[in-house]
Amino acid sequence: GQQVMQIPQYQHVQEGEDFTTYCNSSTTLSNIQWYKQRPGGHPVFLIQLVKSGEVKKQKRLTFQFGEAKKNSSLHITATQTTDVGTYFCAFRRMGLRGSARQLTFGSGTQLTVLP
Amino acid sequence: EAGVAQSPRYKIIEKRQSVAFWCNPISGHATLYWYQQILGQGPKLLIQFQNNGVVDDSQLPKDRFSAERLKGVDSTLKIQPAKLEDSAVYLCASSGKRDTQYFGPGTRLTVL
C-alpha cells in the first residue's frame, strides 16, 4: 500500500530558530494539505498544495510540494511560542477509484518551542 | 459563521457499555466525516457522508461502530459494545465545495 512518512516525529527548538517538517510518499499524491493541532485542540487547516513544484507562503510559514508530487515540506522561520503544536500533512491518493477521495493523515511532527 | 459542534466533550464508560456522540456540521456543508484520533497519532477516517449517503466506511469497525446522518445535517456515531482500545478522541469534520475540512472540538472517550 501507499507509504507516507512524516519526519521528524518530535522537534524541540529554541524560540527564534527555524523549523521544518517533511512528508515523503512512495507514490504520487493528488494533493497535500497541512494542518496544525494545538495541545488539547483539534486540527486546523493551514494550506492545500495541488500543483507540482508549488510553493505557498503564510507569513513565517512556507509550504512546498515537490516536483514529482511525492514529497512536501512545511518550514517555519523564526519560531515563536505560539507555533507550539503538532503539524500534520494529509494527502489524497492519485488515480485510485473508490478510496481516492479519502484524506489520510500523516503521523504528525510535534513541535516544542523553548522560550 | 458557527463552527462544527460536538457533544459531549468528554465521556468515561466501562468496557462493554454503549456510547453515542453527536455532531452538527457547519451550515450548508454537504460532506461530514468522523475520525478517530488515538493519542500520539494522526486522525484516522472512520466514515464519510455526502449529504445522508455513505461515501466511505472502509475503516469503520462495523461489528461495534455505527453512524448515521438521517436528514443530511446532524450525525451520530455509536459504539456498542465499547472496548478498551476504543479510548481516543472522536473528531467530526465537515467540508463544503472546497476541499478544506473544518474540525469540531472532539469528544474524548475513556473506556475503563
Side-chain angles (χ1 to χ4, degrees), chain A residues 33 37 42 48 88 92 102, chain B residues 37 42 56 99-100 103-104:
Chain A
Q33 299 179 0
Q37 186 171 23
H42 57 274
Q48 174 168 281
F88 292 99
R92 297 192 189 280
Q102 180 188 92
Chain B
Q37 187 175 25
D56 187 342
D99 203 16
T100 304
F103 283 82

Side-chain angles (χ1 to χ4, degrees), chain B residues 3-43:
Chain B
V4 177
Q6 288 189 248
S7 68
R9 294 295 310 277
Y10 305 91
K11 191 73 177 179
I12 301 174
I13 61 173
E14 294 186 348
K15 59 183 179 183
R16 292 188 289 273
Q17 285 187 323
S18 301
V19 65
F21 313 127
W22 173 83
C23 173
N24 188 7
I26 292 174
S27 177
H29 280 190
T31 310
L32 184 148
Y33 314 79
W34 282 102
Y35 289 88
Q36 180 193 59
Q37 187 175 25
I38 293 172
L39 187 65
Q41 299 180 17

